[in-house]
Tab-separated table of all heavy atoms in Angstrom:
chain	number	residue	atom	x	y	z
M	324	TRP	N	-10.504	11.158	-31.963
M	324	TRP	CA	-11.398	10.775	-30.880
M	324	TRP	C	-11.639	11.960	-29.944
M	324	TRP	O	-12.772	12.251	-29.574
M	324	TRP	CB	-10.865	9.583	-30.084
M	324	TRP	CG	-11.877	9.096	-29.097
M	324	TRP	CD1	-12.868	8.191	-29.322
M	324	TRP	CD2	-12.054	9.563	-27.742
M	324	TRP	NE1	-13.645	8.054	-28.206
M	324	TRP	CE2	-13.178	8.877	-27.222
M	324	TRP	CE3	-11.388	10.484	-26.940
M	324	TRP	CZ2	-13.641	9.094	-25.917
M	324	TRP	CZ3	-11.855	10.706	-25.658
M	324	TRP	CH2	-12.969	10.017	-25.147
M	325	TYR	N	-10.564	12.669	-29.593
M	325	TYR	CA	-10.736	13.840	-28.718
M	325	TYR	C	-11.629	14.878	-29.364
M	325	TYR	O	-12.484	15.497	-28.713
M	325	TYR	CB	-9.378	14.462	-28.376
M	325	TYR	CG	-8.728	13.915	-27.120
M	325	TYR	CD1	-7.520	13.237	-27.172
M	325	TYR	CD2	-9.341	14.073	-25.878
M	325	TYR	CE1	-6.908	12.753	-26.025
M	325	TYR	CE2	-8.745	13.580	-24.718
M	325	TYR	CZ	-7.530	12.910	-24.803
M	325	TYR	OH	-6.942	12.431	-23.662
M	326	ALA	N	-11.467	15.082	-30.663
M	326	ALA	CA	-12.298	16.076	-31.345
M	326	ALA	C	-13.767	15.671	-31.312
M	326	ALA	O	-14.649	16.504	-31.044
M	326	ALA	CB	-11.813	16.256	-32.791
M	327	ALA	N	-14.039	14.383	-31.528
M	327	ALA	CA	-15.431	13.895	-31.522
M	327	ALA	C	-16.015	14.021	-30.127
M	327	ALA	O	-17.155	14.444	-29.929
M	327	ALA	CB	-15.481	12.445	-32.011
M	328	TYR	N	-15.215	13.645	-29.122
M	328	TYR	CA	-15.647	13.694	-27.735
M	328	TYR	C	-15.965	15.140	-27.333
M	328	TYR	O	-16.974	15.402	-26.669
M	328	TYR	CB	-14.534	13.104	-26.860
M	328	TYR	CG	-14.822	13.039	-25.382
M	328	TYR	CD1	-15.726	12.081	-24.884
M	328	TYR	CD2	-14.186	13.872	-24.474
M	328	TYR	CE1	-15.964	11.994	-23.512
M	328	TYR	CE2	-14.414	13.786	-23.114
M	328	TYR	CZ	-15.314	12.842	-22.642
M	328	TYR	OH	-15.550	12.754	-21.295
M	329	ARG	N	-15.113	16.055	-27.742
M	329	ARG	CA	-15.353	17.443	-27.410
M	329	ARG	C	-16.588	17.994	-28.106
M	329	ARG	O	-17.313	18.814	-27.543
M	329	ARG	CB	-14.117	18.302	-27.776
M	329	ARG	CG	-12.965	18.046	-26.834
M	329	ARG	CD	-11.730	18.792	-27.255
M	329	ARG	NE	-11.841	20.216	-26.968
M	329	ARG	CZ	-10.802	21.008	-26.754
M	329	ARG	NH1	-9.577	20.530	-26.791
M	329	ARG	NH2	-10.971	22.281	-26.488
M	330	GLN	N	-16.838	17.516	-29.328
M	330	GLN	CA	-18.040	18.014	-30.035
M	330	GLN	C	-19.303	17.466	-29.337
M	330	GLN	O	-20.275	18.211	-29.146
M	330	GLN	CB	-18.026	17.604	-31.505
M	330	GLN	CG	-19.166	18.308	-32.278
M	330	GLN	CD	-19.078	18.148	-33.765
M	330	GLN	OE1	-18.208	17.455	-34.302
M	330	GLN	NE2	-19.992	18.821	-34.465
M	331	PHE	N	-19.277	16.205	-28.963
M	331	PHE	CA	-20.418	15.638	-28.188
M	331	PHE	C	-20.654	16.464	-26.944
M	331	PHE	O	-21.770	16.884	-26.626
M	331	PHE	CB	-20.099	14.178	-27.819
M	331	PHE	CG	-21.186	13.487	-27.029
M	331	PHE	CD1	-22.120	12.715	-27.667
M	331	PHE	CD2	-21.231	13.611	-25.645
M	331	PHE	CE1	-23.131	12.077	-26.932
M	331	PHE	CE2	-22.236	12.990	-24.905
M	331	PHE	CZ	-23.186	12.210	-25.549
M	332	TRP	N	-19.579	16.739	-26.229
M	332	TRP	CA	-19.651	17.473	-24.968
M	332	TRP	C	-20.149	18.893	-25.182
M	332	TRP	O	-20.941	19.434	-24.391
M	332	TRP	CB	-18.266	17.453	-24.327
M	332	TRP	CG	-18.199	17.820	-22.890
M	332	TRP	CD1	-19.170	18.398	-22.120
M	332	TRP	CD2	-17.071	17.628	-22.028
M	332	TRP	NE1	-18.730	18.566	-20.847
M	332	TRP	CE2	-17.441	18.095	-20.760
M	332	TRP	CE3	-15.780	17.109	-22.214
M	332	TRP	CZ2	-16.553	18.072	-19.674
M	332	TRP	CZ3	-14.921	17.081	-21.134
M	332	TRP	CH2	-15.303	17.544	-19.876
M	333	SER	N	-19.730	19.523	-26.298
M	333	SER	CA	-20.152	20.906	-26.514
M	333	SER	C	-21.637	20.973	-26.877
M	333	SER	O	-22.319	21.929	-26.513
M	333	SER	CB	-19.257	21.600	-27.548
M	333	SER	OG	-19.521	21.086	-28.817
M	334	ILE	N	-22.156	19.956	-27.556
M	334	ILE	CA	-23.612	19.921	-27.833
M	334	ILE	C	-24.358	19.819	-26.509
M	334	ILE	O	-25.341	20.508	-26.250
M	334	ILE	CB	-23.964	18.759	-28.769
M	334	ILE	CG1	-23.375	18.989	-30.176
M	334	ILE	CG2	-25.507	18.594	-28.876
M	334	ILE	CD1	-23.516	17.802	-31.103
M	335	LEU	N	-23.835	18.957	-25.673
M	335	LEU	CA	-24.397	18.749	-24.333
M	335	LEU	C	-24.447	20.051	-23.526
M	335	LEU	O	-25.293	20.217	-22.630
M	335	LEU	CB	-23.465	17.741	-23.643
M	335	LEU	CG	-23.761	17.166	-22.323
M	335	LEU	CD1	-25.124	16.486	-22.381
M	335	LEU	CD2	-22.693	16.113	-21.987
M	336	ARG	N	-23.554	20.977	-23.820
M	336	ARG	CA	-23.525	22.250	-23.098
M	336	ARG	C	-24.520	23.260	-23.665
M	336	ARG	O	-24.735	24.326	-23.077
M	336	ARG	CB	-22.111	22.854	-23.174
M	336	ARG	CG	-21.063	22.132	-22.337
M	336	ARG	CD	-20.844	22.834	-21.018
M	336	ARG	NE	-19.792	22.241	-20.222
M	336	ARG	CZ	-18.557	22.743	-20.114
M	336	ARG	NH1	-18.216	23.857	-20.757
M	336	ARG	NH2	-17.656	22.153	-19.345
M	337	GLU	N	-25.090	22.945	-24.841
M	337	GLU	CA	-26.019	23.909	-25.450
M	337	GLU	C	-27.325	23.933	-24.667
M	337	GLU	O	-27.838	22.880	-24.275
M	337	GLU	CB	-26.279	23.541	-26.920
M	337	GLU	CG	-25.036	23.669	-27.777
M	337	GLU	CD	-25.252	23.189	-29.221
M	337	GLU	OE1	-26.410	22.970	-29.626
M	337	GLU	OE2	-24.219	23.037	-29.911
M	338	PRO	N	-27.888	25.124	-24.448
M	338	PRO	CA	-29.092	25.230	-23.604
M	338	PRO	C	-30.241	24.346	-24.074
M	338	PRO	O	-31.005	23.830	-23.252
M	338	PRO	CB	-29.458	26.729	-23.704
M	338	PRO	CG	-28.165	27.400	-24.005
M	338	PRO	CD	-27.363	26.446	-24.858
M	339	ALA	N	-30.372	24.120	-25.387
M	339	ALA	CA	-31.508	23.337	-25.888
M	339	ALA	C	-31.481	21.910	-25.378
M	339	ALA	O	-32.502	21.236	-25.376
M	339	ALA	CB	-31.512	23.345	-27.422
M	340	PHE	N	-30.304	21.441	-24.947
M	340	PHE	CA	-30.193	20.047	-24.506
M	340	PHE	C	-30.103	19.924	-23.001
M	340	PHE	O	-29.826	18.826	-22.496
M	340	PHE	CB	-28.962	19.400	-25.177
M	340	PHE	CG	-29.160	19.225	-26.653
M	340	PHE	CD1	-28.692	20.193	-27.543
M	340	PHE	CD2	-29.834	18.124	-27.148
M	340	PHE	CE1	-28.897	20.053	-28.907
M	340	PHE	CE2	-30.036	17.970	-28.518
M	340	PHE	CZ	-29.567	18.946	-29.405
M	341	ARG	N	-30.305	21.018	-22.284
M	341	ARG	CA	-30.150	20.992	-20.822
M	341	ARG	C	-31.430	21.425	-20.133
M	341	ARG	O	-31.896	22.541	-20.326
M	341	ARG	CB	-29.031	21.926	-20.365
M	341	ARG	CG	-27.673	21.514	-20.858
M	341	ARG	CD	-26.681	22.651	-20.709
M	341	ARG	NE	-26.061	22.683	-19.395
M	341	ARG	CZ	-24.983	21.970	-19.078
M	341	ARG	NH1	-24.460	21.161	-19.954
M	341	ARG	NH2	-24.443	22.068	-17.880
M	342	LEU	N	-31.948	20.539	-19.325
M	342	LEU	CA	-33.154	20.850	-18.565
M	342	LEU	C	-32.739	21.190	-17.142
M	342	LEU	O	-32.125	20.338	-16.459
M	342	LEU	CB	-34.064	19.621	-18.624
M	342	LEU	CG	-35.473	19.707	-18.071
M	342	LEU	CD1	-36.327	18.641	-18.770
M	342	LEU	CD2	-35.540	19.494	-16.585
M	343	HIS	N	-33.033	22.416	-16.702
M	343	HIS	CA	-32.670	22.839	-15.335
M	343	HIS	C	-33.864	22.666	-14.423
M	343	HIS	O	-34.988	22.936	-14.802
M	343	HIS	CB	-32.221	24.304	-15.328
M	343	HIS	CG	-30.857	24.518	-15.895
M	343	HIS	ND1	-29.771	24.829	-15.129
M	343	HIS	CD2	-30.408	24.410	-17.172
M	343	HIS	CE1	-28.705	24.950	-15.902
M	343	HIS	NE2	-29.054	24.684	-17.143
M	344	LEU	N	-33.607	22.238	-13.220
M	344	LEU	CA	-34.698	21.948	-12.291
M	344	LEU	C	-34.159	22.099	-10.875
M	344	LEU	O	-33.274	21.346	-10.467
M	344	LEU	CB	-35.139	20.497	-12.552
M	344	LEU	CG	-36.346	19.954	-11.808
M	344	LEU	CD1	-37.607	20.694	-12.232
M	344	LEU	CD2	-36.508	18.463	-12.114
M	345	LYS	N	-34.623	23.109	-10.167
M	345	LYS	CA	-34.218	23.209	-8.755
M	345	LYS	C	-35.189	22.359	-7.957
M	345	LYS	O	-36.350	22.738	-7.753
M	345	LYS	CB	-34.204	24.655	-8.265
M	345	LYS	CG	-33.925	24.771	-6.774
M	345	LYS	CD	-32.706	25.577	-6.417
M	345	LYS	CE	-32.421	25.502	-4.909
M	345	LYS	NZ	-31.329	26.360	-4.462
M	346	LEU	N	-34.746	21.206	-7.555
M	346	LEU	CA	-35.621	20.274	-6.819
M	346	LEU	C	-36.058	20.908	-5.510
M	346	LEU	O	-35.269	21.555	-4.828
M	346	LEU	CB	-34.877	18.978	-6.527
M	346	LEU	CG	-34.703	18.001	-7.696
M	346	LEU	CD1	-33.765	16.867	-7.312
M	346	LEU	CD2	-36.061	17.452	-8.130
M	347	GLU	N	-37.338	20.717	-5.191
M	347	GLU	CA	-37.848	21.167	-3.904
M	347	GLU	C	-38.043	19.981	-2.984
M	347	GLU	O	-38.210	18.852	-3.457
M	347	GLU	CB	-39.218	21.858	-4.090
M	347	GLU	CG	-39.108	23.155	-4.878
M	347	GLU	CD	-40.468	23.647	-5.338
M	347	GLU	OE1	-41.490	23.169	-4.788
M	347	GLU	OE2	-40.506	24.502	-6.236
M	348	ALA	N	-38.049	20.234	-1.700
M	348	ALA	CA	-38.306	19.167	-0.746
M	348	ALA	C	-39.623	18.480	-1.116
M	348	ALA	O	-40.609	19.152	-1.377
M	348	ALA	CB	-38.381	19.718	0.670
M	349	GLY	N	-39.604	17.140	-1.189
M	349	GLY	CA	-40.812	16.387	-1.552
M	349	GLY	C	-40.944	16.117	-3.037
M	349	GLY	O	-41.922	15.528	-3.480
M	350	GLN	N	-39.945	16.543	-3.809
M	350	GLN	CA	-39.925	16.226	-5.247
M	350	GLN	C	-38.932	15.108	-5.502
M	350	GLN	O	-37.890	15.014	-4.855
M	350	GLN	CB	-39.493	17.448	-6.073
M	350	GLN	CG	-40.634	18.388	-6.428
M	350	GLN	CD	-40.195	19.409	-7.471
M	350	GLN	OE1	-39.029	19.794	-7.518
M	350	GLN	NE2	-41.150	19.876	-8.275
M	351	MET	N	-39.219	14.307	-6.494
M	351	MET	CA	-38.287	13.252	-6.892
M	351	MET	C	-38.156	13.228	-8.404
M	351	MET	O	-39.146	13.336	-9.113
M	351	MET	CB	-38.752	11.890	-6.409
M	351	MET	CG	-37.703	10.793	-6.694
M	351	MET	SD	-38.289	9.099	-6.405
M	351	MET	CE	-39.137	8.782	-7.943
M	352	VAL	N	-36.939	13.057	-8.888
M	352	VAL	CA	-36.731	12.779	-10.312
M	352	VAL	C	-36.321	11.328	-10.435
M	352	VAL	O	-35.594	10.778	-9.595
M	352	VAL	CB	-35.639	13.645	-10.951
M	352	VAL	CG1	-36.136	15.052	-11.135
M	352	VAL	CG2	-34.347	13.603	-10.161
M	353	ALA	N	-36.800	10.671	-11.483
M	353	ALA	CA	-36.346	9.337	-11.857
M	353	ALA	C	-35.889	9.427	-13.292
M	353	ALA	O	-36.540	10.081	-14.115
M	353	ALA	CB	-37.473	8.318	-11.711
M	354	PHE	N	-34.752	8.809	-13.602
M	354	PHE	CA	-34.263	8.890	-14.970
M	354	PHE	C	-33.485	7.632	-15.315
M	354	PHE	O	-32.941	6.938	-14.440
M	354	PHE	CB	-33.403	10.141	-15.190
M	354	PHE	CG	-32.291	10.311	-14.191
M	354	PHE	CD1	-31.029	9.851	-14.474
M	354	PHE	CD2	-32.539	10.930	-12.967
M	354	PHE	CE1	-29.998	9.999	-13.533
M	354	PHE	CE2	-31.505	11.069	-12.035
M	354	PHE	CZ	-30.251	10.611	-12.317
M	355	ASP	N	-33.456	7.355	-16.614
M	355	ASP	CA	-32.768	6.169	-17.115
M	355	ASP	C	-31.288	6.512	-17.246
M	355	ASP	O	-30.871	7.177	-18.184
M	355	ASP	CB	-33.364	5.769	-18.472
M	355	ASP	CG	-32.735	4.476	-18.991
M	355	ASP	OD1	-31.699	4.053	-18.455
M	355	ASP	OD2	-33.313	3.899	-19.942
M	356	ASN	N	-30.503	6.019	-16.308
M	356	ASN	CA	-29.076	6.335	-16.227
M	356	ASN	C	-28.303	5.785	-17.425
M	356	ASN	O	-27.154	6.166	-17.643
M	356	ASN	CB	-28.527	5.761	-14.917
M	356	ASN	CG	-27.027	5.967	-14.757
M	356	ASN	OD1	-26.573	7.112	-14.718
M	356	ASN	ND2	-26.276	4.877	-14.701
M	357	ARG	N	-28.904	4.891	-18.199
M	357	ARG	CA	-28.195	4.372	-19.383
M	357	ARG	C	-28.300	5.344	-20.556
M	357	ARG	O	-27.649	5.168	-21.569
M	357	ARG	CB	-28.775	3.012	-19.799
M	357	ARG	CG	-28.796	1.971	-18.702
M	357	ARG	CD	-27.405	1.522	-18.284
M	357	ARG	NE	-26.831	0.547	-19.181
M	357	ARG	CZ	-26.802	-0.766	-18.943
M	357	ARG	NH1	-27.276	-1.260	-17.826
M	357	ARG	NH2	-26.242	-1.604	-19.802
M	358	ARG	N	-29.153	6.363	-20.452
M	358	ARG	CA	-29.261	7.322	-21.560
M	358	ARG	C	-29.367	8.772	-21.118
M	358	ARG	O	-28.905	9.672	-21.822
M	358	ARG	CB	-30.443	7.000	-22.476
M	358	ARG	CG	-31.794	6.964	-21.776
M	358	ARG	CD	-32.945	6.816	-22.757
M	358	ARG	NE	-33.343	8.090	-23.340
M	358	ARG	CZ	-34.607	8.390	-23.655
M	358	ARG	NH1	-35.585	7.507	-23.492
M	358	ARG	NH2	-34.900	9.567	-24.148
M	359	VAL	N	-29.982	9.056	-19.986
M	359	VAL	CA	-30.172	10.436	-19.556
M	359	VAL	C	-29.048	10.826	-18.585
M	359	VAL	O	-28.817	10.139	-17.586
M	359	VAL	CB	-31.547	10.634	-18.908
M	359	VAL	CG1	-31.667	12.004	-18.261
M	359	VAL	CG2	-32.635	10.447	-19.945
M	360	MET	N	-28.371	11.904	-18.910
M	360	MET	CA	-27.274	12.379	-18.064
M	360	MET	C	-27.800	13.325	-17.005
M	360	MET	O	-28.796	14.016	-17.224
M	360	MET	CB	-26.214	13.053	-18.930
M	360	MET	CG	-25.498	12.037	-19.794
M	360	MET	SD	-24.453	12.788	-21.070
M	360	MET	CE	-25.689	13.232	-22.253
M	361	HIS	N	-27.140	13.355	-15.874
M	361	HIS	CA	-27.560	14.273	-14.806
M	361	HIS	C	-26.342	15.019	-14.286
M	361	HIS	O	-25.207	14.573	-14.424
M	361	HIS	CB	-28.268	13.528	-13.675
M	361	HIS	CG	-27.408	12.533	-12.953
M	361	HIS	ND1	-26.924	11.385	-13.538
M	361	HIS	CD2	-26.930	12.523	-11.679
M	361	HIS	CE1	-26.205	10.705	-12.651
M	361	HIS	NE2	-26.184	11.370	-11.523
M	362	GLY	N	-26.603	16.161	-13.698
M	362	GLY	CA	-25.539	16.977	-13.128
M	362	GLY	C	-26.153	17.989	-12.203
M	362	GLY	O	-27.356	17.946	-11.899
M	363	ARG	N	-25.353	18.921	-11.711
M	363	ARG	CA	-25.889	19.977	-10.838
M	363	ARG	C	-24.948	21.156	-10.845
M	363	ARG	O	-23.765	21.034	-11.160
M	363	ARG	CB	-26.064	19.455	-9.407
M	363	ARG	CG	-24.770	19.120	-8.722
M	363	ARG	CD	-24.820	19.241	-7.205
M	363	ARG	NE	-23.459	19.100	-6.700
M	363	ARG	CZ	-23.015	18.056	-6.002
M	363	ARG	NH1	-23.824	17.056	-5.693
M	363	ARG	NH2	-21.766	18.006	-5.594
M	364	GLN	N	-25.499	22.295	-10.474
M	364	GLN	CA	-24.661	23.460	-10.215
M	364	GLN	C	-24.031	23.318	-8.828
M	364	GLN	O	-24.554	22.572	-7.991
M	364	GLN	CB	-25.512	24.721	-10.296
M	364	GLN	CG	-26.063	24.953	-11.705
M	364	GLN	CD	-26.955	26.168	-11.765
M	364	GLN	OE1	-27.637	26.508	-10.820
M	364	GLN	NE2	-26.957	26.830	-12.924
M	365	SER	N	-22.938	24.016	-8.627
M	365	SER	CA	-22.310	23.957	-7.301
M	365	SER	C	-23.264	24.580	-6.280
M	365	SER	O	-24.182	25.313	-6.643
M	365	SER	CB	-20.991	24.701	-7.303
M	365	SER	OG	-21.227	26.072	-7.542
M	366	PHE	N	-23.072	24.241	-5.021
M	366	PHE	CA	-23.874	24.896	-3.983
M	366	PHE	C	-22.979	25.302	-2.829
M	366	PHE	O	-21.856	24.816	-2.697
M	366	PHE	CB	-25.046	24.015	-3.539
M	366	PHE	CG	-24.653	22.699	-2.938
M	366	PHE	CD1	-24.561	22.549	-1.546
M	366	PHE	CD2	-24.394	21.599	-3.731
M	366	PHE	CE1	-24.219	21.318	-0.986
M	366	PHE	CE2	-24.047	20.355	-3.188
M	366	PHE	CZ	-23.951	20.225	-1.807
M	367	ASP	N	-23.484	26.185	-2.019
M	367	ASP	CA	-22.704	26.704	-0.902
M	367	ASP	C	-23.274	26.122	0.388
M	367	ASP	O	-24.317	26.571	0.870
M	367	ASP	CB	-22.782	28.235	-0.893
M	367	ASP	CG	-21.975	28.829	0.240
M	367	ASP	OD1	-21.500	28.079	1.100
M	367	ASP	OD2	-21.855	30.070	0.266
M	368	PRO	N	-22.612	25.090	0.940
M	368	PRO	CA	-23.179	24.407	2.105
M	368	PRO	C	-23.286	25.281	3.338
M	368	PRO	O	-23.961	24.920	4.286
M	368	PRO	CB	-22.233	23.223	2.337
M	368	PRO	CG	-20.985	23.537	1.583
M	368	PRO	CD	-21.339	24.502	0.504
M	369	THR	N	-22.664	26.500	3.298
M	369	THR	CA	-22.792	27.378	4.476
M	369	THR	C	-24.114	28.170	4.460
M	369	THR	O	-24.481	28.786	5.441
M	369	THR	CB	-21.626	28.381	4.538
M	369	THR	OG1	-21.728	29.275	3.412
M	369	THR	CG2	-20.274	27.687	4.517
M	370	THR	N	-24.814	28.149	3.308
M	370	THR	CA	-26.039	28.953	3.189
M	370	THR	C	-27.310	28.164	3.445
M	370	THR	O	-28.400	28.728	3.506
M	370	THR	CB	-26.147	29.572	1.780
M	370	THR	OG1	-26.137	28.493	0.828
M	370	THR	CG2	-24.988	30.499	1.493
M	371	GLY	N	-27.199	26.846	3.583
M	371	GLY	CA	-28.406	26.061	3.829
M	371	GLY	C	-28.122	24.588	3.542
M	371	GLY	O	-27.016	24.208	3.147
M	372	ARG	N	-29.145	23.780	3.756
M	372	ARG	CA	-28.976	22.341	3.650
M	372	ARG	C	-29.385	21.871	2.259
M	372	ARG	O	-30.350	22.376	1.676
M	372	ARG	CB	-29.884	21.669	4.705
M	372	ARG	CG	-29.415	20.325	5.201
M	372	ARG	CD	-30.085	19.982	6.521
M	372	ARG	NE	-31.509	19.757	6.365
M	372	ARG	CZ	-32.066	18.557	6.143
M	372	ARG	NH1	-31.294	17.478	6.070
M	372	ARG	NH2	-33.353	18.421	6.006
M	373	ARG	N	-28.628	20.941	1.706
M	373	ARG	CA	-29.037	20.266	0.476
M	373	ARG	C	-28.875	18.771	0.714
M	373	ARG	O	-27.792	18.297	1.006
M	373	ARG	CB	-28.168	20.713	-0.694
M	373	ARG	CG	-28.627	20.139	-2.061
M	373	ARG	CD	-27.720	20.615	-3.180
M	373	ARG	NE	-28.277	20.330	-4.513
M	373	ARG	CZ	-28.120	19.183	-5.147
M	373	ARG	NH1	-27.463	18.177	-4.592
M	373	ARG	NH2	-28.630	18.999	-6.366
M	374	HIS	N	-29.965	18.053	0.648
M	374	HIS	CA	-29.909	16.633	0.968
M	374	HIS	C	-30.871	15.865	0.037
M	374	HIS	O	-32.069	16.087	0.051
M	374	HIS	CB	-30.310	16.425	2.438
M	374	HIS	CG	-30.224	14.989	2.880
M	374	HIS	ND1	-30.687	14.549	4.086
M	374	HIS	CD2	-29.721	13.879	2.249
M	374	HIS	CE1	-30.463	13.236	4.207
M	374	HIS	NE2	-29.897	12.811	3.094
M	375	LEU	N	-30.300	14.991	-0.768
M	375	LEU	CA	-31.100	14.114	-1.620
M	375	LEU	C	-30.871	12.664	-1.147
M	375	LEU	O	-29.780	12.330	-0.693
M	375	LEU	CB	-30.660	14.216	-3.089
M	375	LEU	CG	-30.534	15.596	-3.729
M	375	LEU	CD1	-30.105	15.471	-5.195
M	375	LEU	CD2	-31.826	16.375	-3.621
M	376	GLN	N	-31.922	11.842	-1.242
M	376	GLN	CA	-31.731	10.397	-1.066
M	376	GLN	C	-31.870	9.762	-2.430
M	376	GLN	O	-32.792	10.071	-3.196
M	376	GLN	CB	-32.767	9.828	-0.100
M	376	GLN	CG	-32.501	10.269	1.326
M	376	GLN	CD	-33.405	9.614	2.353
M	376	GLN	OE1	-34.579	9.386	2.063
M	376	GLN	NE2	-32.872	9.333	3.539
M	377	GLY	N	-30.957	8.861	-2.740
M	377	GLY	CA	-30.959	8.252	-4.075
M	377	GLY	C	-30.879	6.743	-4.019
M	377	GLY	O	-30.460	6.163	-3.015
M	378	CYS	N	-31.309	6.134	-5.083
M	378	CYS	CA	-31.099	4.696	-5.260
M	378	CYS	C	-31.261	4.350	-6.726
M	378	CYS	O	-31.702	5.183	-7.521
M	378	CYS	CB	-32.079	3.867	-4.405
M	378	CYS	SG	-33.774	3.886	-5.010
M	379	TYR	N	-30.855	3.135	-7.060
M	379	TYR	CA	-31.072	2.619	-8.404
M	379	TYR	C	-32.065	1.468	-8.337
M	379	TYR	O	-32.098	0.729	-7.353
M	379	TYR	CB	-29.765	2.067	-8.988
M	379	TYR	CG	-28.604	3.030	-8.986
M	379	TYR	CD1	-27.517	2.821	-8.138
M	379	TYR	CD2	-28.600	4.135	-9.836
M	379	TYR	CE1	-26.440	3.697	-8.143
M	379	TYR	CE2	-27.531	5.003	-9.833
M	379	TYR	CZ	-26.435	4.773	-8.997
M	379	TYR	OH	-25.373	5.631	-8.994
M	380	VAL	N	-32.894	1.349	-9.381
M	380	VAL	CA	-33.706	0.139	-9.547
M	380	VAL	C	-33.509	-0.366	-10.971
M	380	VAL	O	-33.057	0.368	-11.860
M	380	VAL	CB	-35.215	0.405	-9.271
M	380	VAL	CG1	-35.466	0.720	-7.807
M	380	VAL	CG2	-35.748	1.501	-10.164
M	381	ASP	N	-33.832	-1.636	-11.150
M	381	ASP	CA	-33.625	-2.260	-12.468
M	381	ASP	C	-34.717	-1.874	-13.448
M	381	ASP	O	-35.907	-1.860	-13.106
M	381	ASP	CB	-33.595	-3.781	-12.322
M	381	ASP	CG	-32.336	-4.274	-11.646
M	381	ASP	OD1	-31.238	-3.910	-12.119
M	381	ASP	OD2	-32.429	-5.000	-10.638
M	382	TYR	N	-34.315	-1.606	-14.677
M	382	TYR	CA	-35.280	-1.340	-15.742
M	382	TYR	C	-36.247	-2.518	-15.904
M	382	TYR	O	-37.439	-2.327	-16.167
M	382	TYR	CB	-34.536	-1.064	-17.049
M	382	TYR	CG	-35.458	-0.722	-18.190
M	382	TYR	CD1	-36.044	0.530	-18.274
M	382	TYR	CD2	-35.776	-1.665	-19.152
M	382	TYR	CE1	-36.904	0.836	-19.297
M	382	TYR	CE2	-36.633	-1.363	-20.198
M	382	TYR	CZ	-37.207	-0.117	-20.260
M	382	TYR	OH	-38.070	0.186	-21.269
M	383	ASP	N	-35.730	-3.736	-15.734
M	383	ASP	CA	-36.602	-4.917	-15.818
M	383	ASP	C	-37.795	-4.770	-14.887
M	383	ASP	O	-38.925	-5.092	-15.237
M	383	ASP	CB	-35.798	-6.170	-15.444
M	383	ASP	CG	-34.906	-6.670	-16.570
M	383	ASP	OD1	-35.430	-7.173	-17.569
M	383	ASP	OD2	-33.677	-6.575	-16.435
Side-chain angles (χ1 to χ4, degrees):
Chain M
W324 188 87
Y325 269 118
Y328 182 73
R329 288 175 74 153
Q330 189 170 4
F331 180 96
W332 196 347
S333 71
I334 294 172
L335 187 57
R336 288 262 185 102
E337 294 175 13
F340 292 94
R341 295 165 87 85
L342 188 155
H343 285 251
L344 185 65
K345 174 120 187 186
L346 284 171
E347 293 167 17
Q350 274 191 329
M351 186 189 83
V352 287
F354 52 94
D355 185 346
N356 178 61
R357 306 292 280 260
R358 58 173 277 214
V359 171
M360 290 170 281
H361 64 293
R363 66 153 189 250
Q364 295 178 328
S365 65
F366 61 96
D367 180 352
T369 66
T370 58
R372 208 161 68 92
R373 185 180 192 275
H374 183 189
L375 310 181
Q376 289 186 324
C378 72
Y379 306 111
V380 292
D381 288 306
Y382 182 76
D383 282 290

